[in-house]
Structure formats: structure tokens, C-alpha cells
Amino acid sequence: MKHVAVDVGASSGRLLLGELVDGKIVLTEVHRFQNGFSQVDGVDLWDIDHIFTNILVGLEKLKQSGVAECTLGIDTWAVDYCLVGPEGKRLQEVVSYRDTRTNQAMDAVLKRIPAADIYEKTGIQFLQFNSLYQLFVEDAELKRQAESVMMVPDYLGYLLTGERVTEVTNASSTQMLNLCTREFDGELLDVVGLNAGQFASFAKPGQLLGKVSRDLHEKYDLPDCDVVVVATHDTASAVLGAPGVGDDWAFLSSGTWSLLGAELPNPINTREAFAANYTNEWGAYDTFRFLKNIMGLWLIQEVARMQNYAYSYAELAELATHEEPFAVLIPVDDHRFLNPENMIAEIQAYCTETKQEAPQTPGKLARVIYDSLAVQYALQIEQLQALTGKTIRHLHIIGGGANIAMLNQLTADLTGIMVHAGPTEATGLGNLAVQFIASGEARNMMEIREIIRKSVPITTYKPSNSNSFSVVKAKYQTISGGVLK
């Protein structure tokens, strides 16, 4: 049986064809397209129609290649949503989580409900762009008109099939699901001016959403396609694609964001976890992703963009290897780096303010970013072990960051644990994993992870003693004000 993963990230999307052949997963990229938000009348917006059109283009390519039938699952980034009114009409364009509209929203919400109460209810970390704060500042009239509030992948599935669901792994990232009732929390819905009836019924990964609509088949030459609900939060899919075994491993999903954490059977919404701002996102198959959001490769992506992509990411990493290690550090999770007009200027300004040498060359800029990310990873591994009581012996780095050998080795050195890099296509593999299980080709996640380990190359980095973590850690905490965010 053939399966298709539609995996849409902040900068690009693609359709991957996956098949099980001789006990291994064979991946074929069917279609790739650019994605990104743009500012329209002062608001950062996603072009959801562009994304949907490219899904259809990819499916037409698939049909032209000879695939007559398949299953399909969709994953995207989290927290952003569509408001859908009467007759399925989208009420506005999809606002990006990086838009400035939520800059003061969290403070306003916390005046209504204390942060500790929200965390006890939801177990979700406090990020200014969570759906809770986006919906709080959303136009009241649009909220009144909305018959449905759909997360982005749910909306794309609705456009394909006409069926409305609320997939749980993505819904949990809204910071509005109650850990005890497993429903949207009434008090939080009141704060944002919505009601539970405006959300479709919950769906778990593995459920059948429906077939691609007859109307689309009449307009496009598409395969006969059953749309399956997968782990629609891309991090949830990525963690499913992590080839971990046993209970002494952690994951680092390394892309635009870095998500570092552990897969657990139960949430941890203790005072200590609240203080550390760790999150309990719902995972597939009754798991929880206990993790920390770290700014991630967004920093280097923006540096490359500000230089008009004169250097590839591989070239920037190579240039960084020739620079002095840990000479300059920045607190990567500082809000000022979330969406500055000019990332290079912002990094340089921070360094000047903290009496560090402002990096001027591409190599020095890349070195600052990679060094700082590695230190933050190491600090969070310590934090993760303290909060979970687990001894972490293996860190699986998955996603695009698995290709950055320099960063992977730095992470192994500073954490003192084995780092296993790969697969880079973890999100697509996790998306497909749910489809393999739903089709009966794999029994469970343990089996599919074993298949993934056999199917993809994984590079192991052993820690060395060449760097003094205590010295670097002290320097990082000094320049960040002594606070581990």
C-alpha cells in the first residue's frame, strides 16, 4: 500500500510518498514548494490557499506517476488557526504566530487567570504566540461569526474532505485543553470569547477522516485517496519518527524551532515544571511530549536571509568551524530574537550591550548561534533530567539540524551523552508511521521505530572532554542575566 505524508513547515512544504519494501521504508519526494508568511497591511499572514493548491499539485503529480490510490496525512506547525463561518467560508487570512499582535496579550490574560492556574489546568508552557493569546486579541465580531475554529492542518483536511475534526496533538498546543477533563477548558474559552461548540469533535491519530471530495476529483486528476488523521502537530509527528528505544533517551527536533524533551506516559505539571516553563503537549497513542521550546535554527535562517543567501547553511557551518569557540554567546530564547527586522543587527546590538565583541563576518555570526544553541541544549538536558527523574544517556537529534555535524558534536561534548543524528525526515516518517499502523502494515510504535532504525542512516557523536561545560555554562548565564529561561 502507498501512503503520502503532507508535511508543511514554516519555510517549505512537501509531499512524500512512503512504502514498506522488504521491511524498510522507502521515501520518494513527490513535490516540494516554498512557504512563508508575508506582511499585508501591517499583519503577518500565511497564504493558506497557496499551501492547499500545492497539495493538489502534488497529488496530481502522484497520479501522473502511476499511483492510482493511496492514504494521506497532513501535519503542519502548531498554534495558528482558521476561523470558518457559514457555508464553510474562511472569515480571514491565517495570521502567523510571529505577528506582533500578541506582544501584550499574555499579560492581559494573566490578569484574568493566574499563570499557575493555567498551567495546572493545561500543563502547557507560556509562549506569547500560543493560540490562547492569539484568540484573546482576535477580532470579537469574527469570533462571533465563526461556526468553527480549526487548527491549520485540520482546516487543510477539511478543504480536502469536507469533514471537520479537532486533532488532539495540535489542539493541546493551544493552551486551552484541560489535562483532567480532556476537553477544552470552559474558563479559558470564556476568557477568549469562544464556546466549545465552535470546535469540532476530537480525533486521535489513526482515525479515518474521509475521502478526497468528489468536487475536487471533478476539477483535478487525483488518486483515490483516503485521508487519515495523523499527528498533525509537526513536532508530534517528528517525535514519532525518532528511532529511540528503551526509556533513557531524549529527543531534539531541530528545525526552525528546537524542541527538546522526552516522550512520557503521563504529564508533569508540577510547580517545578511550571517554573521551568516546560510543556506537556499531547502525543499520539496516549503519550505526552514533555519538552522545552528553544528558538532553534530560525536564527541561522534569518542570518542567511539577511545576506541574500550568499552562503548555504552548509557553508555557514563550515565557516563557523574556523572561528574561536564560545568567544561570544547570546541567550537564544530572548524575545528580541523572535522576529526582529534584522537578525544580524539584533545579534550585534545584543553583543555590544553585553560588552562582547559584535560578530561581523558570516563565520563569526554562525559560530555565535551554534555555540549558544549547544549551551542551551546542554542546560535543558540537565533541567529535563531533574524534572523527570530520568537519566538521559542518548539524545536523538531529528530534523534538518541532524545534518549540522558541528552543532551535533558541540551538543555531545557539552551534554556528555551520546548524540544520534537522524533521521532528517523524522516528521514525514512520523506522519507515515501513523498511516502504516492504521493500514495494519505495522502493529505499533515500537515496531515502526525498529523499522525506521533499519531504514535510515543515523550518525553517532561521542562526547569528548575538550570543552569545560561549567565555564561555558557560567558565561552563558552571566550574559543572559543569570536566568535559565
Side-chain angles (χ1 to χ4, degrees):
M1 186 177 294
K2 300 181 187 296
H3 309 281
V4 177
V6 178
D7 173 30
V8 186
S11 59
S12 67
R14 65 269 182 84
L15 278 73
L16 293 172
L17 177 65
E19 301 175 82
L20 274 178
V21 179
D22 297 329
K24 294 183 178 181
I25 301 171
V26 177
L27 290 179
T28 305
E29 185 175 287
V30 177
H31 179 59
R32 179 178 287 267
F33 57 94
Q34 293 298 308
N35 188 38
F37 60 83
S38 57
Q39 195 167 95
V40 180
D41 297 329
V43 182
D44 291 327
L45 301 175
W46 300 105
D47 188 346
I48 201 74
D49 292 326
H50 166 77
I51 295 172
F52 184 63
T53 296
N54 273 280
I55 292 173
L56 296 174
V57 168
L59 286 174
E60 284 196 312
K61 286 183 177 180
L62 189 67
K63 179 70 176 293
Q64 292 162 9
S65 74
V67 176
E69 57 182 356
C70 62
T71 70
L72 176 146
I74 303 172
D75 69 78
T76 78
W77 67 95
V79 304
D80 290 341
Y81 56 83
C82 296
L83 299 178
V84 179
E87 300 179 356
K89 180 182 178 181
R90 190 172 69 244
L91 298 178
Q92 66 173 16
E93 298 307 312
V94 181
V95 181
S96 168
Y97 62 87
R98 292 191 189 272
D99 187 77
T100 58
R101 66 176 179 163
T102 56
N103 282 1
Q104 284 78 46
M106 185 189 298
D107 290 339
V109 170
L110 297 185
K111 289 178 181 177
R112 302 274 297 273
I113 306 179
D117 292 354
I118 294 176
Y119 193 78
E120 184 178 6
K121 288 172 178 287
T122 69
I124 297 296
Q125 65 188 320
F126 290 83
L127 298 169
Q128 70 170 49
F129 48 74
N130 286 350
S131 313
L132 175 65
Y133 313 114
Q134 292 197 53
L135 287 165
F136 180 78
V137 298
E138 184 60 81
D139 181 83
E141 179 59 22
L142 289 179
K143 288 187 286 190
R144 188 192 65 78
Q145 295 177 27
E147 290 186 355
S148 295
V149 181
M150 299 185 197
M151 306 306 289
V152 167
D154 293 335
Y155 179 69
L156 293 170
Y158 165 69
L159 292 180
L160 278 177
T161 66
E163 300 295 331
R164 306 185 191 196
V165 298
T166 301
E167 192 276 319
V168 295
T169 71
N170 213 330
S172 71
S173 71
T174 63
Q175 204 176 23
M176 297 192 300
L177 292 193
N178 189 296
L179 286 171
C180 294
T181 67
R182 299 299 178 97
E183 301 286 346
F184 281 101
D185 185 85
E187 185 179 12
L188 294 174
L189 287 178
D190 287 344
V191 167
V192 301
L194 294 171
N195 63 76
Q198 291 172 287
F199 294 86
S201 59
F202 288 122
K204 292 184 177 182
Q207 292 181 212
L208 177 66
L209 180 62
K211 285 189 172 293
V212 172
S213 71
R214 183 176 300 175
D215 287 347
L216 289 175
H217 275 286
E218 290 175 355
K219 295 177 182 178
Y220 304 92
D221 186 22
L222 306 175
D224 181 11
C225 190
D226 288 330
V227 180
V228 175
V229 177
V230 296
T232 65
H233 186 322
D234 54 6
T235 306
S237 277
V239 172
L240 290 178
V245 60
D247 62 358
D248 63 351
W249 62 280
F251 60 82
L252 172 57
S253 181
S254 180
T256 299
W257 287 94
S258 290
L259 299 314
L260 190 152
E263 186 179 72
L264 303 177
N266 296 297
I268 301 175
N269 59 334
T270 60
R271 291 181 180 179
E272 292 78 10
F274 166 57
N277 205 26
Y278 263 68
T279 201
N280 294 273
E281 295 172 350
W282 300 15
Y285 308 113
D286 299 318
T287 60
F288 287 86
R289 300 185 311 283
F290 185 66
L291 63 84
K292 180 77 170 183
N293 267 59
I294 300 169
M295 196 71 77
L297 299 180
W298 163 254
L299 296 150
I300 200 73
Q301 290 167 356
E302 281 295 279
V303 165
R305 185 176 71 86
M306 297 314 301
Q307 298 176 105
N308 295 315
Y309 300 102
Y311 301 89
S312 69
Y313 299 129
E315 288 170 335
L316 286 171
E318 172 59 25
L319 289 171
T321 62
H322 300 291
E323 302 295 338
E324 181 185 355
F326 307 112
V328 177
L329 295 171
I330 61 171
V332 292
D333 288 336
D334 193 293
H335 173 68
R336 67 193 293 168
F337 301 122
L338 179 65
N339 192 18
E341 289 187 15
N342 186 315
M343 184 66 77
I344 293 175
E346 199 68 39
I347 291 172
Q348 291 170 336
Y350 182 87
C351 292
T352 299
E353 292 165 19
T354 53
K355 296 180 172 54
Q356 301 181 90
E357 180 184 351
Q360 301 296 329
T361 67
K364 287 182 182 296
L365 284 161
R367 184 83 215 194
V368 169
I369 291 169
Y370 290 138
D371 283 352
S372 301
L373 283 172
V375 178
Q376 182 70 331
Y377 296 161
L379 288 167
Q380 292 304 331
I381 284 288
E382 285 191 342
Q383 186 91 277
L384 179 65
Q385 293 184 112
L387 292 170
T388 61
K390 292 164 63 80
T391 298
I392 304 299
R393 294 185 174 87
H394 302 273
L395 177 64
H396 288 272
I397 298 181
I398 52 181
N403 291 322
I404 308 172
M406 170 196 170
L407 181 55
N408 298 336
Q409 187 61 60
L410 281 173
T411 302
D413 293 343
L414 292 179
T415 59
I417 63 178
M418 300 286 282
V419 167
H420 310 280
T424 57
E425 297 286 2
T427 305
L429 287 166
N431 180 319
L432 292 165
V434 173
Q435 297 181 60
F436 287 131
I437 294 171
S439 68
E441 293 172 272
R443 290 172 295 176
N444 51 40
M445 277 311 306
M446 184 180 298
E447 181 176 358
I448 203 69
R449 279 178 169 149
E450 182 179 352
I451 292 171
I452 290 171
R453 286 193 292 274
K454 294 177 180 177
S455 303
V456 298
I458 297 171
T459 304
T460 296
Y461 297 83
K462 297 180 180 180
S464 70
N465 296 316
S466 59
N467 294 303
S468 173
F469 176 50
S470 60
V471 173
V472 174
K473 173 184 172 183
K475 179 177 180 178
Y476 186 87
Q477 292 183 317
T478 297
I479 59 96
S480 60
V483 178
L484 177 59
K485 295 184 177 181

